[in-house]
Amino acid sequence: MTTNITAEEMAIQREFAQKAAALFAERGSPPKAHVHTFGCQQNVSDGEKIKGMLAEMGCGLSDTPDGADIIIFNTCAVRENAEDRVFGNLGALKHEKRRNPDVIIGVCGCMVQQEHIVERIRRSFPHVDLVFGTNALHTLPELIYGQLTERKRSFRIPGGDGVIAEGLPLRRESALKVSIPIMYGCNNFCTYCIVPYVRGRERSRRMEDIIAEAKSAIAGGAKELLLLGQNVNSYGKELGTDFPSLLREINALDGEFRICYMSSHPKDATRELIDTIAECEKVTRHFHLPVQSGSSRVLGLMNRRYTREDYLGIVNYIRERIPDAALTSDIIVGFPGETREDFEETLSLIREVGFDSLYTFIYSPRKGTKAASMPDPVSAEEKGEWFRELLEVQGEIGRGMYEKYVGQTLRVLCEGEGRTSSELLTGKTPQDVIVDFDGDRSLIGRFVSVKIERAYQWALVGKIIENLFS
Ligand code: SAH
Ligand code: SF4
Ligand code: F3S
């Protein structure tokens, strides 16, 4: 069962934050905290809460662990290399602890929801003081206060289906582009995926809480709202509402801003959803619809609950209703039991759809998932070859993909200085394609109208057309 953390419990945590702040204040100079977030946008959003709580405790934030008083690693478990990276960084902190035994080192996030990882930290990383799971995030003030009053290793990893904690302070990464979680957890249990085990069951925030957060972000100057969930398309099921209704509500809010969302699962990408997106002018014209494989047989083994034909049907409907929409996807190569023929179906699917771009992954076995115990006869070398082939095919498809935008005038959110040169400004089109253009820095944070003049493989270059959009 989902637990809503009560207002009383949140008030208790705020008291701990104040008590911790008082103890820090006795030290003279304000403490410095370093938060390193790995993984997806959900984790980045949790990182904003961690930073918010630390700021409430009087901490300044530091970009580096060197010399920090508090170091927190907010971890990701989705693939083995994500975990390896965390362990590598964590090992390096041994020296920091030797240099400064007072430093408080904490590890949280998805990795520590797994027993074998917690055991490894317990045994091999004695310099870690705090380990807290995704359901204990809101108790950080209490945990830090505990460290300040009694230096004892502390492990807090509550089980259960997951919690919703409203009202945590936030330190946003950007005031312009704001992430708003709309739901947590996942019920889909794709057989390769660890997320449902480490993030608990699906649970949606109340629509009024989301709308209140969206309004306050817009009032604070936000121009892009990114609605977050592992599967936003199943938002609101337990509350008697749904994602299209939420999109319509947010789209109707006053102000000039755009709405993005991630991730969406093809099995729940209904016609109603696509119709709603077509009608909501503030919603991005970009569908990131992870297909994972082009073989219905492999999709069955993955427990994705759609076939190749279902997926192509959704794509056709999107193209019919929103012809200018961009499509991107995730692909896993080398799922256990995938054959050369299955892989070729993936190649033929990506050719058929013509994705704007792809996120591609080699299958990584995750302990405790169903796929981890499936026979996996294909060698790592062969999977590597398939992976390179996939990149090549997508490279061909992507070449020239953006030519279609040349000559078009598009509404672009100006996000900042150009990547290649500070002389240029950069922004994103309604299809989420990067575009660079000349212009004054005062335009940052505004929507401008840009005529596209040139297309490269990953970006566009254009010129501002005056006065089309204010
Ligand atoms: N909830 C999101 C996915 C989150 S994980 C969704 O369903 O779209 C992001 C991507 O990582 C997945 O789409 C998948 O392509 C990839 N992925 C997840 N588990 C993986 C694993 N064990 N090995 C390789 N790739 C994986
Ligand atoms: Fe993982 Fe599937 Fe859930 Fe996405 S929908 S988080 S891939 S189990
Ligand atoms: Fe990683 Fe957890 Fe996100 S496993 S991808 S950080 S939900």
Side-chain angles (χ1 to χ4, degrees), residues 80-91:
E80 193 177 355
N81 58 7
E83 295 192 336
D84 289 347
R85 219 151 17 107
V86 171
F87 279 128
N89 280 274
L90 211 48

Side-chain angles (χ1 to χ4, degrees), residues 32-106:
K32 273 193 295 181
H34 171 70
V35 180
H36 187 160
T37 292
F38 302 78
C40 67
Q41 289 295 328
Q42 261 90 356
N43 252 22
V44 173
S45 166
D46 282 352
E48 293 182 338
K49 293 174 183 168
I50 294 168
K51 288 180 180 171
M53 289 185 276
L54 289 168
E56 205 169 54
M57 288 179 248
C59 298
L61 294 172
S62 158
D63 286 340
T64 137
D66 302 337
D69 302 280
I70 300 176
I71 300 170
I72 304 226
F73 280 5
N74 182 22
T75 64
C76 170
V78 79
R79 282 172 293 274
E80 193 177 355
N81 58 7
E83 295 192 336
D84 289 347
R85 219 151 17 107
V86 171
F87 279 128
N89 280 274
L90 211 48
L93 289 185
K94 271 185 191 151
H95 308 289
E96 192 59 32
K97 187 79 167 187
R98 223 171 285 144
R99 231 180 17 196
N100 172 18
D102 287 338
V103 61
I104 299 172
I105 299 180

